[in-house]
Amino acid sequence: MEALPARARMYVTGVAVAGLLCLLPAVPLSSAPLSQTLPLPLQLPLSAASGPDVPWGAVALLAVLYAGCERLARSRHLGAPNPGGTFHPVLLAAAFLLPPSAAALVALPGALLTPVEQRPFLARRIWRAGQLTLAVWAAGRAHLAAGGREAVADGDVPAALGAAGASVLVFCLVLTLLDRGILALAGGVPFRRGNRAPRPECRRTTWRRTRRRPRRTSRRNTRQTTWWRLFLRSLAPVTVHGLAGLMMALLWRSPYGPVAALLVLLPMCVSWWAFAQYHRERAAHQATIRALVQAVDIKDGYTRGHSERVGQASTMIARELGMDDERTEVLRFAGILHDVGKLGVPTRLLTKDGPLTPEERRVIELHPEYGHEMVRGISFLGEARAAVLHHHERLDGSGYPYGLAGAQIPESARVVAVADAFDAMTSNRSYSRARPVPVALDELQRCAGDHFDPRMVEALVRAIGRTGWHPAVTAEDVRQPPGPPAPPADEPVATQVADPPGARR
Amino acid sequence: MTLRPHTLVHACAAALAAGCLGATLWHGIAERGAALAFGLLVAVGELTRHHGPRPRDGRRPGEGAPPGAGTQPRDGPRIRQAAPLAAAGSLAYALLGEAGGRPSHHGAAQVVTVVLAASLLGSVPHIGRGRGPTRDRLARRTLTVGFVAVCFQPLYGRGTFDDWGGPAHALLLLALLSLSALCDAVLAAALAHSRTGWPFPPVLRDELRALPGIGAAVVATGAVMALGVAVVGLWALPLLSVPLLLAQLSYRRYAAVRATYRQTIASLARATEIAGCTPAGHARRVADLSQSVGRDLGLTEPDLTVLEYAALMHDIGQLSLVDPVPAGATAALPAPEQRRIALLGGAVVRQTGVDPKVAGIVERQAEPHREQPLAARIVRVVNAYDEKSRAGGPGGPLTALEELRLGTAGEYAPQVVESLARVLSRAAGAGEHADGYEDGGGRP
């Protein structure tokens, strides 16, 4: 709690109190005295909702079901993100079946008991409980108002669908708005325009993370999203959950009872399980690629973190050029993997002290082709494969391996070439000290047209001019290579240009 | 030619289908609306069938298949239940007792006919793409649906289940479907065993292990569809299809990312070949042959995946050497040197974040076979075989196998060497003369 700003604390408390007020009519003892003290706008719906018949058995069953599902999902896939967010079908089925306050009660035990991963734990639990009870209560109210209860009881599917649709809309809207509120108060994100949208499934866990790592640069760099865009994005999964919840409610009311309703949940659980597996496998895949790239960095000795930083700079250029997310991601991989072919170059040559013979230089210059040979079979890399092969080509045709010129060089390769040269100049190398970013950018602009595509250079200059250069792996991490400095043969072109001609080549 | 089990299964399915078709033609179709709706559902389910990545994606055309690899899934384990919606829809139709409160009168014969016709209809676009339904799949679908329908429809029509009201009826359907899923797994394992000659128990174990996942979703959706249609009519079909389609989508993405992972590992494992440490295609050949031997020795699919990764990366320790081993032939090195390279490789693999079991196998590939886990034994034997048979020129495979047999005292596990001989002779018997193994791979 102590890390939260006071405003956010008050907000959480307010939401929690509102959630409690939603629950009150379900508790028969306290409903009579308290309803007099309630503010007027709340009183009317509450008194309408508090029917005499709260089916306590159903409430208990659904609450246990919800808490159990949440618990199960978190315990089994330790480390995997919880894909569905929460088990909304159970909550929505409760909203379709029970009076609104009783339905809100269903969400309470699960929201309070499920462990949270990040600090502050207590505030997070209270927040989750308040948010969910409010949302479920509102969904139940909407469903009631749309006449859904009769439709569900009669098995009238079109009418029930309409009411469920309204209910899902309200549910989603309440969740999104409350989320934006806490983001604005705790994370310092303005309410109307916010940070790059967190993915809907981890929406609930990100409000602290944005605050803990104030990455101003990337925040301004990334696309801004408005709350309604978030709303639309989370609407699709919640609609699917709503359909499952509706079917649960219909079957619950049928002669077959709760047993049949539970069966509806099974495909959803299987789907979540597969989704969690997908995320785990994807993370493992990315870790593998990174680790292999680190192997190159270690082998090369003097370029620790180089690959990651080139990936980062490539991403910046791609974003600046307005490429879509998928292509940007591919270019990030292109930057990360551009030197993977050095795995195939004997370590002796990469770490050689003293000048290289032409023979040895030729061997090292084979690394783009080695790299291409390695990544050729990885289909998801797409045009990144061409970038690996051609990242040492120059615009005037004097590069290698093929001496391509101008537009013959694939666009991805031109992006990576600029990013590679930029990072080579701005990080410490065994043979030269790191240059300041503006000097490096000037140097790039000087070589634009001869060696580099001016479009890419301009994009990098613009991107860095706006956000600055903040590599994830900084140049200070660079390990000093043993022995006297040796000029590597495959040094980026800009470094060669910066030095007097003939000094290195 | 003797009658093989899969021929028998096909004959049974064909007889059942023909009988049902005849009966349906004779009696006509009852409740056309429901038949049409379920037929449509099954056809749509077939249309959304996922075939998985194309085989041999990203492989060099010159790289032929090694012996024994011809019958093997190339890009990961087979995707079970690739069309869950079609399966669930056909099971639900077989269990349909009433629709929207009115009892229905379609018999078992009509169920089988409708499902079969819809399956064929939904497969038409796939046939156009050259990936039509296999006879195995159609036979399994026919027999499973026939089994469920024959168990349920006549008894229901006679009123046997009238006492099983409400929840008991739901549980009855669930039990029946679970039974049918078990039978289907046995049938699938039997078909795979009969076609490929893989040992039956591990294949059955693989089939059964897939049941709790998408299999359970299919069973649950099948049961709940039958109940839902009984309560609210045909509206239940689209409503209940959505969660299952979502599950299918998740599985598809999971399968896709697994295939990508496999590609990445296979490609990056070739770093040793590109660096000139090992001969071209060595890692792939060892991986394929190791998997065949692993199959023969009864490993299950998760173990086979670990084995494949370990075999692909078994030489990666050589990258850490300052001077490469001549021709990458580690089997000829002295034992301590072999062990050192294995440990280096294990360290690299451990860093890559692959399953730690893979690193363990790579690390222990050079130990005496008595101290090794089975997968490490396989990698060691197959690696030595590939190196020796390549070095031996024509007649190399035979000599290599002979040398391995002589080494069974300490280095090579006898049971693995024998299994390798079986796999090679089977491949030779199947007429697979892949590159470098023209000599038939040493028929013992």
Side-chain angles (χ1 to χ4, degrees):
Chain A
M1 232 7 186
E2 73 283 346
L4 279 182
R7 287 174 306 168
R9 242 180 293 172
M10 281 182 58
Y11 181 69
V12 169
T13 319
V15 169
V17 168
L20 274 183
L21 289 182
C22 294
L23 295 178
L24 281 180
V27 187
L29 286 178
S30 51
S31 66
L34 267 173
S35 58
Q36 289 155 9
T37 62
L38 286 176
L40 204 64
L42 276 175
Q43 202 171 10
L44 194 69
L46 282 182
S47 54
S50 60
D53 51 341
V54 174
W56 290 107
V59 171
L61 187 54
L62 282 170
V64 167
L65 186 65
Y66 176 65
C69 282
E70 286 284 344
R71 192 99 203 170
L72 203 68
R74 315 242 161 174
S75 64
R76 205 194 298 162
H77 318 301
L78 224 57
N82 189 18
T86 43
F87 278 66
H88 288 155
V90 182
L91 296 181
L92 287 167
F96 300 155
L97 277 172
L98 304 169
S101 47
L105 195 58
V106 166
L108 193 64
L112 281 179
L113 292 179
T114 311
V116 287
E117 295 90 5
Q118 287 168 305
R119 297 186 72 85
F121 301 116
L122 185 64
R124 273 175 185 280
R125 281 182 199 231
I126 292 176
W127 162 251
R128 191 169 52 191
Q131 189 193 24
L132 278 179
T133 42
L134 263 183
V136 174
W137 180 81
R141 289 289 323 162
H143 192 250
L144 204 62
R149 297 200 66 183
E150 294 76 28
V152 168
D154 300 344
D156 176 9
V157 178
L161 267 178
S167 173
V168 160
L169 272 179
V170 169
F171 183 75
C172 208
L173 195 67
V174 171
L175 279 184
T176 316
L177 287 180
L178 287 177
D179 255 351
R180 294 310 292 182
I182 193 73
L183 268 174
L185 291 173
V189 183
F191 185 79
R192 290 183 56 79
R193 306 189 126 255
N195 193 357
R196 182 176 162 82
R199 307 170 56 122
E201 62 262 20
C202 51
R203 190 163 19 95
R204 204 138 303 114
T205 58
T206 43
W207 50 277
R208 281 282 296 139
R209 216 183 295 146
T210 47
R211 195 166 167 268
R212 192 184 296 165
R213 287 188 302 165
R215 298 264 303 271
R216 284 168 185 285
T217 53
S218 61
R219 180 181 299 168
R220 244 178 278 153
N221 193 19
T222 51
R223 273 211 312 257
Q224 310 273 308
T225 42
T226 46
W227 68 267
W228 54 264
R229 197 170 290 177
L230 269 184
F231 168 69
L232 288 182
R233 204 179 297 182
S234 58
L235 194 59
V238 176
T239 305
V240 174
H241 293 180
L243 287 180
L246 177 64
M247 212 52 225
M248 271 184 84
L250 284 170
L251 283 168
W252 193 289
R253 281 285 162 88
S254 75
Y256 303 112
V259 178
L262 291 190
L263 287 181
V264 179
L265 274 186
L266 200 60
M268 299 295 286
C269 291
V270 168
S271 156
W272 284 321
W273 177 83
F275 201 66
Q277 297 295 313
Y278 160 75
H279 268 285
R280 215 171 49 180
E281 195 81 359
R282 207 175 75 131
H285 180 225
Q286 300 211 344
T288 302
I289 289 183
R290 263 163 219 282
L292 278 153
V293 166
Q294 273 171 16
V296 181
D297 285 0
I298 289 167
K299 191 168 170 162
D300 209 347
Y302 65 92
T303 55
R304 176 158 304 182
H306 173 63
S307 307
E308 283 286 341
R309 290 195 300 270
V310 173
Q312 202 178 331
S314 303
T315 313
M316 287 171 80
I317 297 175
R319 283 240 175 84
E320 192 64 36
L321 290 176
M323 296 181 184
D324 57 25
D325 281 356
E326 202 177 326
R327 202 155 172 224
T328 306
E329 183 70 6
V330 166
L331 275 168
R332 191 171 68 83
F333 275 114
I336 289 178
L337 286 172
H338 74 282
D339 267 348
V340 75
K342 283 190 180 168
L343 271 179
V345 178
T347 314
R348 192 179 286 283
L349 289 187
L350 288 178
T351 56
K352 186 184 176 188
D353 303 339
L356 294 163
T357 64
E359 202 81 2
E360 290 167 333
R361 192 182 295 275
R362 262 199 296 284
V363 171
I364 291 187
E365 285 183 358
L366 282 175
H367 82 264
E369 285 169 278
Y370 285 164
H372 182 248
E373 187 64 25
M374 266 182 233
V375 298
R376 214 176 35 145
I378 312 180
S379 51
F380 89 99
L381 286 177
E383 60 176 344
R385 293 175 286 191
V388 170
L389 180 59
H390 294 299
H391 72 273
H392 278 297
E393 305 279 8
R394 295 178 182 181
L395 223 57
D396 60 5
S398 62
Y400 61 90
Y402 295 152
L404 299 185
Q408 287 176 319
I409 310 172
E411 199 176 21
S412 54
R414 284 178 268 154
V415 170
V416 173
V418 172
D420 187 17
F422 172 73
D423 184 69
M425 285 192 285
T426 52
S427 53
N428 273 316
R429 292 288 170 101
S430 55
Y431 50 86
S432 68
R433 289 201 54 78
R435 276 167 247 201
V437 170
V439 177
L441 289 180
D442 283 347
E443 190 60 44
L444 282 179
Q445 278 168 319
R446 208 161 60 74
C447 304
D450 291 343
H451 296 175
F452 305 120
D453 187 336
R455 257 177 75 225
M456 313 301 168
V457 175
E458 281 316 307
L460 185 66
V461 169
R462 274 203 309 275
I464 289 184
R466 208 176 44 247
T467 66
W469 172 238
H470 304 273
V473 187
T474 54
E476 285 85 67
D477 296 342
V478 174
R479 187 183 58 179
Q480 286 302 315
D490 67 322
E491 66 197 84
V493 275
T495 323
Q496 295 155 15
V497 175
D499 292 326
R504 280 184 196 283
R505 258 185 201 238
Chain B
M1 185 175 158
T2 54
L3 186 66
R4 295 175 68 184
H6 60 262
T7 323
L8 190 64
V9 169
H10 290 169
C12 287
L16 179 65
C20 289
L21 186 64
T24 313
L25 286 179
W26 184 257
H27 294 297
I29 290 186
E31 276 114 6
R32 281 156 199 269
L36 195 64
F38 274 97
L40 200 64
L41 182 72
V42 172
V44 168
E46 276 297 332
L47 277 179
T48 59
R49 168 178 292 278
H50 180 46
H51 287 287
R54 289 211 169 251
R56 308 211 171 191
D57 201 15
R59 271 170 67 94
R60 205 190 302 188
E63 267 176 14
T71 53
Q72 196 156 297
R74 175 76 48 195
D75 285 292
R78 249 167 342 120
I79 296 172
R80 291 195 176 71
Q81 210 50 278
L85 194 59
S90 37
L91 291 177
Y93 194 44
L95 290 178
L96 193 66
E98 52 180 310
R102 280 190 309 267
S104 57
H105 300 97
H106 61 280
Q110 182 178 333
V111 171
V112 175
T113 310
V114 167
V115 165
L116 200 59
S119 300
L120 286 174
L121 196 65
S123 307
V124 167
H126 297 306
I127 295 174
R129 256 175 275 146
R131 301 182 131 191
T134 58
R135 273 179 297 174
D136 275 4
R137 217 172 64 209
L138 283 178
R140 269 172 62 194
R141 167 81 44 85
T142 310
L143 287 179
T144 313
V145 171
F147 170 75
V148 174
V150 166
C151 282
F152 182 79
Q153 293 292 348
L155 291 178
Y156 186 83
R158 227 177 289 153
T160 316
F161 301 137
D162 286 353
D163 304 338
W164 296 61
H169 186 72
L171 290 176
L172 173 77
L173 296 194
L174 201 61
L176 192 54
L177 283 190
S178 307
L179 185 66
S180 80
L182 281 180
C183 293
D184 186 45
V186 173
L187 190 60
L191 284 173
H193 170 67
S194 150
R195 276 201 184 284
T196 60
W198 295 337
F200 183 70
V203 178
L204 180 61
R205 225 180 309 153
D206 281 339
E207 292 289 340
L208 290 180
R209 189 170 292 158
L211 281 185
I214 193 80
V218 166
V219 164
T221 307
V224 96
M225 262 183 186
L227 299 176
V229 171
V231 176
V232 297
L234 295 173
W235 278 102
L237 294 185
L239 280 180
L240 286 167
S241 303
V242 172
L244 194 60
L245 278 177
L246 200 68
Q248 187 184 6
L249 195 69
S250 300
Y251 259 83
R252 196 178 286 192
R253 289 176 74 176
Y254 179 35
V257 79
R258 282 182 57 146
T260 305
Y261 199 2
R262 181 177 297 260
Q263 273 184 353
T264 302
I265 290 192
S267 299
L268 296 175
R270 283 174 51 219
T272 49
E273 293 164 21
I274 288 153
C277 298
T278 52
H282 173 68
R284 190 69 247 179
R285 280 197 306 273
V286 172
D288 286 343
L289 198 49
S290 290
Q291 275 198 304
S292 299
V293 173
R295 268 285 168 212
D296 185 72
L297 288 172
L299 294 187
T300 54
E301 263 173 26
D303 293 337
L304 284 174
T305 305
V306 168
L307 176 63
E308 187 193 6
Y309 287 0
L312 280 173
M313 301 203 277
H314 74 277
D315 269 335
I316 213 150
Q318 293 191 34
L319 282 182
S320 309
L321 300 180
V322 178
D323 291 308
V325 177
T330 46
L333 290 178
E337 185 61 17
Q338 281 187 38
R339 218 165 291 162
R340 194 175 74 87
I341 296 176
L343 283 179
L344 282 173
V348 173
V349 175
R350 220 171 273 284
Q351 273 181 358
T352 60
V354 196
D355 190 342
K357 280 188 230 154
V358 176
I361 293 172
V362 172
E363 252 166 28
R364 301 176 67 180
Q365 59 175 317
E367 286 172 21
H369 72 79
R370 279 177 233 288
E371 296 157 28
Q372 282 176 318
L374 180 58
R377 291 179 192 174
I378 296 175
V379 171
R380 176 166 206 185
V381 168
V382 174
N383 176 43
Y385 172 76
D386 192 67
E387 282 173 8
K388 287 177 198 289
S389 64
R390 289 268 149 175
L398 271 181
T399 336
L401 211 55
E402 213 44 52
E403 279 182 44
L404 291 185
R405 286 221 172 89
L406 291 175
T408 49
E411 298 170 53
Y412 308 119
Q415 79 196 105
V416 179
V417 176
E418 282 324 303
S419 166
L420 175 67
R422 271 200 302 278
V423 167
L424 292 173
S425 72
R426 203 181 300 151
E432 275 212 15
H433 297 294
D435 58 338
Y437 296 94
E438 285 86 358
D439 291 304
R443 186 169 294 163

